[in-house]
């Protein structure tokens, strides 16, 4: 990590904390057996953090990976695990994966 990274990490964390909205990251874990119901289900861990939510700009759609209606989230990632397929983000009543 460079000195520039260290300097701007603190600034970004402060701005996200001040202007961000609360979102919930839900990470799906492994399969867990419930002996009471005799069923298998996915375990999950939910973490609430502050994030800046933005719409993508039209020029960012060119790769085909970003679809109309997708949102860009910026978070201070300290303490979060790397997102994986199946994980979700919830803001108000909207959930994205």
């Amino acid at each position: 990590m460079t000195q520039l990274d260290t300097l701007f990490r603190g600034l970004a964390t402060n701005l996200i904390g001040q202007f961000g909205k609360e979102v919930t990251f839900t990470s799906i874990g492994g399969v867990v057996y419930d002996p009471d119901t005799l069923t298998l289900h996915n375990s999950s861990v939910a973490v609430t953090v502050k994030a800046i939510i933005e719409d993508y700009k039209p020029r960012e759609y060119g790769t085909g990976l970003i679809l109309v209606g997708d949102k860009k989230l910026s978070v201070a990632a300290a303490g979060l695990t790397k997102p994986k397929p199946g994980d979700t983000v919830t803001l108000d009543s909207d959930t994205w994966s």
Side-chain angles (χ1 to χ4, degrees):
M1 182 182 308
T2 67
Q3 288 179 342
L4 192 59
D5 292 330
T6 303
L7 173 70
F8 285 112
R9 176 177 289 175
L11 176 62
T13 301
N14 289 340
L15 290 172
I16 290 170
Q18 185 176 355
F19 298 107
K21 292 185 176 185
E22 285 193 348
V23 299
T24 302
F25 282 92
T26 304
S27 181
I28 304 300
V31 176
V32 177
Y33 174 70
D34 184 345
D36 294 331
T37 62
L38 305 176
T39 59
L40 297 173
H41 60 87
N42 288 324
S43 64
S44 63
V45 176
V47 178
T48 301
V49 296
K50 293 252 184 149
I52 301 293
I53 298 98
E54 303 173 80
D55 290 320
Y56 283 98
K57 295 176 177 39
R59 69 177 183 274
E60 295 176 289
Y61 292 117
T63 65
L65 298 175
I66 301 167
L67 304 175
V68 173
D70 284 354
K71 301 289 183 187
K72 184 189 310 184
L73 267 64
S74 299
V75 298
L80 294 178
T81 60
K82 182 179 178 181
K84 59 189 176 305
D87 290 354
T88 61
V89 176
T90 304
L91 169 66
D92 299 327
S93 61
D94 296 322
T95 299
W96 292 278
S97 58

